[in-house]
């Protein structure tokens, strides 16, 4: 075997695609979505089949293993390896041909499933198998694992929908495998099959979700032979897929969803087989423990999601209603609205992530993720499964494809201690016996990999497993294709991803209250389901992950950054800890949008992790200029306000050479215009209109009299505290003045907190956590009288409201009750009107509205009150999701402009360009308004400004 450097150089000469042996490239590919971790020597992204053959030839010569990788969402460890990883997502992800008449598509292995479904939908077609990872899993990975998804009761597994495959075998020769012919198979395969017909005819259980082992029964004479079906589920151990022809099916023109409530998952499982005669498209089940928000679901402790299709909406609805009537359930709802159906399906699809945390917050892991039994035995199996969990002192919540008898579950294994790993092994062995005793398959969807392959003799017997080994040797004589998987596997309790992590808590600044104060546990949250790798924002206004959608690079996804942080803690690939430039560079394009905090099924909070890393990375060292210029923006703006030099600052910023010099010194992107500073801050306006005495008493509720800007009496009802954040106070004071106008019109009394309060946002986002903590603790002290009085705190800038709700609690004083009290008092503009002035009605504006829900509002605060307020005012239309791309200091920092503008072009700018005439452009965040102004020449307004204008009119 040659050195890593020699192998890299030979590969670079042999292939046209990308060859990456860097620390970052290797770290990003150490794990998939399983419990396992292997460190590869390097990564190759081939351009075509010739590149694949060339890479295999080099690896064969150097005796280096090869593992094919798609979206990296495999749950049994089969997308990890110690040799060369072939990444098909970069260059081999195309639909090569789509034939609507034949209902077939010719595809490359790196093609994302949703891309194929989108292309097919133009012709009224779809690809039947649809795992919950459909927005990022690839066709190559689906074929390798024989993936299924929720619609398999109607359209079968991937193997049922593959017509032909082109593969490069271990000997380096490309072969096309088709039905009803042995062409392309290695010499000896036919003789091997025909020599053991009796074993092959009796050795495989008959059930819809039997995925384990090699599908040798597909090669029986009565089945064709069917080489493509046999190849599906072989996990890259027999050949490397370079092309496939797949079957498409007619997509129903209309769909309806019946959600049926049951007492528990066993009752739901027992009911599922009885629904199959109604020919549903899905029969999915899940228990209440996995549901974050049960609104919209019928009564029950578990549910079946049963989808029906039809040529018309009425036909689909009638089918769903018939199922609801026939079902013996506690309660049922039938949903025909597509948006409501999508929202309910997201509840089910997110289970693969939400299941990784038990209701008490403790961790749960895959490993026995997808056993399958005959559907008629599922209810009995689940009761036995629950009893086995209890016997081993473990917990888990089943969900999955009840109509096919396939169950997913994450279990609270302790995979950190030797004792816990031992229990993991004992439970695995006992559960394998239980599954086989029910006539089931160890894998019903995700493959065997390393997680279950060691136990295949329990299911198939030693003789059939030895036959699997002989098959492997025929296809891959050198044993270099994904070794340690499926046949001759590594033990199921080795190569665990947690083994190299530190056992003692890492010294950190944030409190990580949801992870027991343990930064390692926070990083472990990312299990690799890769929802952050979607190429478009999730329907319904998703945010995560804007930088990945802008770049398409794994290292700029939430998962990629989490992988690098994991390897930083492990210290094997990333060796320089907090000083790592690789981790720094990956985090550099994180916008700190907080989208992952809400959109990630497991609640990864990369904005916090980034701030933590920057805090340690620059500790005791010189920081980038932007950290001083923009991270300490509140300090500079206060100086300008006190010295009353705003006009001078604006004049200098308007002089080209001086502005260019200032931007260069401040680390600011040259193409950005510097925002104008208000010549009179909001606080200065407040003091002038309320008088010095009022300003002096503004520190306590009721101390400052109400009043309108012209001095007339204002609100006299409940007192609310208006937070003058840095951006509103110094850069957008019109927003705060408008908010005062509306709040007082609603009968509320407005007061301000004392001078000097700050949420610390800019310090947090640049990782200056010592300064942030000092600022926040000072704020808590200044806010003591207001907290004691219990007045709600109205925060107009969503990013500052989010900082007060989260960063303040997790950074400033985790043990200080005042932090929680202040966070609990925070309200958005719409929330405080709804809570404190419920009888007030806004002016009717009656015009369309466009714009974007602020990413921090989406992630932390929610926008339900804003939606209701807009509707009451007659501002019709949905605001877009995503992130504006400016994101505070991010879009102003040098080197971020292209990504910043790409994020804006993803949703915000198209929505504004396509707005109907007279539409109101809403943007509650200063960053969003600035981005609209600088990139589109459009003035976005805060909702408070729009309503205040309506009052005047």
């Amino acid at each position: 075997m040659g050195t890593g450097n020699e192998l890299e150089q030979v590969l670079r000469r042999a292939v046209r695609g990308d060859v990456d042996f860097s620390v970052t490239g290797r770290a990003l590919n150490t794990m998939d979505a399983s419990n396992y971790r292997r460190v590869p020597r390097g990564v190759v992204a081939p351009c075509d089949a010739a590149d694949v053959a060339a890479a295999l030839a080099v690896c064969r010569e150097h005796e280096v293993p090869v593992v094919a990788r798609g979206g990296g969402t495999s749950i049994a460890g089969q997308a990890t390896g110690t040799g060369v990883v072939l990444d098909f997502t970069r260059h081999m992800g195309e639909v090569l041909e789509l034939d609507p008449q034949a209902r077939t598509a010719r595809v490359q292995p790196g093609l994302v499933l949703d891309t194929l479904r989108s292309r097919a939908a133009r012709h009224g077609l779809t690809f039947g198998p649809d795992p919950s990872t459909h927005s990022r899993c690839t066709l190559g990975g689906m074929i390798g694992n024989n993936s299924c998804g929720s619609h398999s009761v109607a359209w079968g597994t991937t193997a049922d929908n593959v017509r032909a495959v082109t593969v490069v075998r271990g000997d380096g020769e490309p072969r096309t495998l088709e039905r009803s012919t042995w062409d392309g198979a290695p010499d000896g395969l036919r003789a091997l099959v025909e020599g053991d017909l009796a074993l092959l005819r009796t050795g495989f259980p008959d059930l819809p979700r039997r995925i384990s082992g090699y599908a040798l029964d597909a090669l029986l004479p009565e089945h064709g032979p069917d080489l493509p079906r046999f190849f599906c589920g072989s996990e890259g151990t027999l050949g490397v897929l370079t092309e496939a022809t797949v079957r498409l099916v007619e997509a129903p023109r209309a769909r309806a969803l019946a959600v049926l409530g049951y007492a528990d998952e066993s009752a739901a499982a027992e009911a599922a087989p009885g629904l199959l005669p109604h020919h549903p498209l899905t029969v999915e089940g899940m228990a209440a423990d996995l549901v974050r928000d049960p609104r919209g679901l019928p009564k029950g402790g578990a549910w079946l999601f049963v989808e029906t299709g039809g040529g018309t909406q009425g036909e689909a609805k009638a089918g769903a209603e018939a199922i609801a009537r026939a079902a013996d359930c506690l309660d049922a709802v039938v949903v025909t609205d597509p948006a409501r159906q999508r929202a309910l399906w997201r509840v089910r699809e997110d289970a693969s992530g939400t299941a990784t945390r038990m209701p008490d917050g403790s961790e749960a892991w895959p490993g026995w993720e997808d056993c399958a039994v005959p559907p008629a035995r599922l209810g009995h199996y689940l009761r036995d499964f629950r009893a086995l969990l209890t016997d081993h002192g473990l917990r888990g919540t089943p969900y999955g494809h009840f109509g096919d008898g396939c169950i997913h579950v994450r279990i609270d294994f302790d995979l950190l201690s030797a004792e816990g790993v031992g229990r993991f092994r004992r439970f695995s062995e006992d559960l394998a016996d239980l599954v086989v005793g029910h006539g089931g398959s160890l894998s019903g969807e995700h493959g065997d990999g390393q997680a279950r392959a060691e136990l295949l003799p329990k299911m198939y017997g030693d003789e059939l497993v030895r036959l699997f080994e002989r098959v492997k040797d025929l296809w891959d004589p050198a044993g270099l294709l994904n070794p340690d998987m499926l046949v001759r596997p590594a033990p199921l309790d080795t190569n665990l991803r947690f083994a190299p992590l530190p056992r003692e808590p890492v010294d950190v600044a944030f409190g990580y209250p949801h992870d027991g104060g343990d930064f390692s546990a926070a990083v472990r949250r990312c299990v690799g389901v890769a929802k952050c790798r979607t190429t478009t924002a999730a329907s319904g206004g998703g945010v995560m992950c804007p930088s990945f959608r802008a770049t398409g690079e794994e290292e700029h996804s939430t998962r990629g950054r989490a992988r690098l942080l994991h390897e930083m803690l492990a210290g094997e690939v990333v060796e320089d800890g907090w000083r790592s430039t690789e981790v720094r560079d990956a985090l550099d394009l994180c916008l700190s949008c907080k989208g992952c905090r809400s959109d990630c099924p497991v609640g990864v909070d990369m904005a916090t992790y980034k701030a933590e890393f920057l805090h340690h990375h620059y500790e005791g060292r010189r920081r980038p200029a932007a950290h001083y210029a923009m991270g300490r923006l509140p300090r500079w703006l206060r100086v300008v306000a006190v010295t009353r030099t705003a006009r001078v600052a604006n004049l200098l910023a308007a002089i080209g050479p001086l502005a260019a010099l200032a931007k260069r010194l401040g680390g600011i992107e040259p193409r950005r215009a510097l925002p104008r500073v208000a010549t009179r801050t909001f606080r200065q306006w407040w003091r002038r209109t309320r008088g010095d005495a009022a300003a002096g008493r503004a520190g306590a509720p009721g101390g400052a009299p109400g009043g309108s800007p012209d001095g007339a009496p204002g609100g006299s009802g409940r007192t609310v505290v208006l937070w003058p954040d840095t951006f509103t106070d110094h850069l957008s004071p019109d927003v705060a003045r408008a908010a005062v106008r509306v709040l007082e019109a609603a009968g509320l009394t407005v007061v301000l907190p004392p001078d000097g309060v700050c949420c610390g946002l800019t310090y947090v986002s640049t990782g200056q956590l010592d300064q942030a903590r000092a600022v926040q603790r000072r704020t808590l002290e200044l806010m003591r009288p207001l907290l004691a009085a219990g007045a709600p705190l109205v925060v107009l800038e969503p990013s500052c409201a989010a900082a007060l709700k989260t960063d303040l609690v997790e950074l400033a004083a985790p043990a200080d009750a005042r932090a929680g009290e202040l966070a609990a008092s925070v309200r958005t503009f719409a929330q405080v009107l709804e809570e404190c002035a419920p009888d007030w009605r806004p002016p009717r504006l009656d015009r369309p509205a466009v714009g974007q829900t602020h990413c921090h509002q989406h992630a932390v605060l929610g926008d339900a009150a804003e939606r209701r307020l807009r509707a009451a005012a007659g501002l019709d239309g949905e605001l877009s999701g995503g992130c504006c791309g400016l994101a505070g200091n991010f879009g102003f920092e040098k080197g971020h402009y292209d990504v910043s503008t790409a994020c804006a072009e993803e949703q915000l700018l198209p929505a504004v360009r396509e707005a109907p005439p007279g539409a109101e452009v809403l943007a509650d965040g200063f960053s969003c308004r600035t981005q609209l102004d600088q990139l589109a020449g459009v003035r976005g307004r805060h909702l408070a400004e729009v309503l205040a204008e309506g009052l005047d009119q």
Side-chain angles (χ1 to χ4, degrees), residues 602-862:
V602 294
V604 168
D605 186 359
M606 195 52 64
T608 297
Y609 307 168
K610 175 182 179 179
E612 184 76 63
F613 175 83
L614 292 176
H615 168 70
H616 294 281
H617 185 75
Y618 289 110
E619 189 171 15
R621 297 199 293 174
R622 181 183 179 87
R623 289 175 164 270
H627 288 197
Y628 300 106
M630 288 176 283
R632 301 179 183 181
L633 186 66
R635 185 180 304 174
W636 307 130
L637 289 177
R638 279 198 297 273
V639 170
V640 171
V642 169
T643 58
R644 298 185 180 275
T645 55
R647 285 188 175 85
V648 176
N650 292 334
L651 177 63
L652 295 176
I655 301 174
L658 293 179
L661 176 62
K663 285 185 273 191
R664 186 166 65 251
L665 293 175
I668 297 173
E669 167 60 44
R671 287 169 284 184
R672 286 289 181 189
L674 297 174
R676 291 181 60 82
V677 182
T679 55
R680 183 170 61 173
T681 69
F682 168 65
R683 278 193 183 273
Q684 289 168 346
W685 170 86
W686 177 270
R687 292 191 179 97
R688 179 174 178 180
T689 59
R690 299 305 194 267
D692 290 339
R697 293 194 300 269
S708 58
D710 60 4
S716 58
R718 182 175 177 180
T719 299
V720 297
V721 182
L722 183 61
W723 182 266
D725 64 85
T726 295
F727 305 100
T728 303
D729 191 18
H730 296 274
L731 302 173
S732 297
D734 290 349
V735 172
R737 292 198 295 266
V740 171
R741 174 83 171 91
V742 175
L743 293 170
E744 292 182 341
L748 303 176
T749 296
V750 179
V751 301
L752 302 191
D755 287 344
V757 296
C758 179
C759 68
L761 171 69
T762 60
Y763 299 99
V764 171
S765 65
T766 53
Q768 301 180 73
L769 300 186
D770 290 335
Q771 294 92 327
R773 185 183 291 107
V775 165
Q776 292 173 342
R777 286 179 174 169
R778 183 178 71 235
T779 294
L780 288 173
E781 191 61 37
L782 291 171
M783 291 292 291
R784 184 194 298 267
L786 293 172
L787 290 175
L793 185 62
V794 189
V795 186
L796 300 173
E797 174 60 44
S799 56
C800 294
L804 291 170
K805 293 284 282 186
T806 59
D807 297 329
L808 178 73
V809 176
E810 297 169 13
L811 175 65
D816 190 334
R818 293 178 304 175
E821 292 172 12
L822 179 57
S825 73
V826 171
R827 300 291 186 274
T828 67
F829 174 70
Q831 287 171 344
V832 82
L833 285 170
E834 189 170 82
E835 294 178 19
C836 300
D839 297 328
W840 180 74
R841 294 294 177 265
R844 289 292 300 184
L845 303 173
D846 294 323
R847 55 179 176 267
V850 297
Q852 187 169 57
T853 300
H854 193 285
C855 53
H856 287 183
Q857 176 123 28
H858 167 87
V860 176
L861 309 166

Side-chain angles (χ1 to χ4, degrees), residues 205-530:
D206 182 17
L207 68 163
R209 287 296 194 93
R210 188 253 301 159
I211 305 299
S212 284
Y214 290 139
L216 283 171
D217 55 331
L219 303 180
L220 288 167
E222 56 267 31
H223 294 155
D226 192 339
L227 281 169
R229 174 181 285 275
F230 157 75
F231 187 81
C232 288
S234 58
E235 302 181 13
T237 62
L238 304 181
V240 178
L241 180 76
T242 60
E243 187 179 304
T245 300
V246 300
R247 174 181 76 129
L248 303 176
V249 297
E250 184 176 358
R253 290 194 175 98
R255 303 184 191 220
L257 180 63
V259 185
L260 315 175
Y262 295 87
D264 56 35
E265 76 270 3
S266 291
E270 289 176 339
L275 304 179
L276 297 179
H278 293 271
H279 305 291
L281 299 176
T282 68
V283 183
E284 297 289 288
M286 67 185 302
D289 288 350
L290 299 176
V291 180
R292 288 176 174 173
D293 185 351
R295 286 179 296 181
L297 293 170
K299 292 181 295 184
W303 299 276
L304 291 180
F305 290 65
V306 186
E307 187 180 68
T308 57
T312 66
Q313 189 63 68
E315 184 180 334
K317 181 180 180 182
E321 290 175 339
I323 286 174
R325 287 193 300 271
D328 182 16
C329 59
L330 301 176
D331 192 14
V333 297
V334 171
V335 179
T336 57
D337 176 64
R340 283 190 64 200
Q341 289 186 60
R342 286 195 299 270
L344 288 168
W345 276 121
R346 280 198 297 274
V347 172
R348 163 61 186 88
E349 291 173 356
D350 282 352
S352 61
T354 55
T356 64
R357 281 296 186 275
M358 304 302 295
D360 63 2
S362 57
E363 296 169 298
W365 302 105
W368 285 96
E369 177 68 16
D370 63 325
C371 300
V373 299
R377 298 190 61 86
L378 183 59
H380 187 188
Y381 165 75
L382 283 175
R383 283 190 290 273
D384 289 346
F385 172 75
R386 285 285 194 184
L388 187 65
L389 283 175
T390 301
D391 289 346
H392 285 269
L394 297 169
R395 296 175 297 163
T397 303
Y399 66 99
H401 315 292
F402 283 20
D404 276 332
C406 180
I407 292 300
H408 299 315
V409 65
R410 301 292 174 103
I411 300 172
D412 65 339
F413 297 120
D414 167 16
L415 298 177
L416 296 171
S417 71
E419 180 183 357
V421 172
R423 179 184 298 181
F424 168 61
R425 166 169 280 282
R426 292 190 299 274
F427 175 83
S428 299
E429 293 169 344
D430 289 349
L431 183 56
D433 290 333
L434 178 63
V435 171
V436 172
H438 280 276
S441 173
L442 303 187
S443 173
E445 180 164 27
H446 296 142
D448 300 307
Q450 182 181 345
R452 290 174 286 272
E454 182 188 353
L455 303 174
L456 284 178
K458 290 178 178 287
M459 176 180 171
Y460 287 120
D462 293 336
E463 188 178 359
L464 192 51
V465 168
R466 284 195 295 271
L467 197 61
F468 291 164
E469 294 173 355
R470 291 168 59 195
V471 170
K472 162 73 170 174
D473 293 340
L474 287 174
W475 287 80
D476 178 29
L480 298 179
L481 295 181
N482 213 6
D484 297 333
M485 301 295 157
L486 209 152
V487 297
R488 304 186 187 97
L492 61 86
D493 51 355
T494 60
N495 302 316
L496 293 172
R497 68 158 72 185
F498 319 97
L501 292 179
R503 291 298 182 264
E504 298 298 323
V506 178
D507 184 24
V508 288
F510 281 97
Y512 302 100
H514 304 296
D515 298 289
D518 186 353
F519 183 68
S520 295
V523 171
R524 288 199 303 268
R525 277 183 173 271
C526 179
V527 294
V529 296

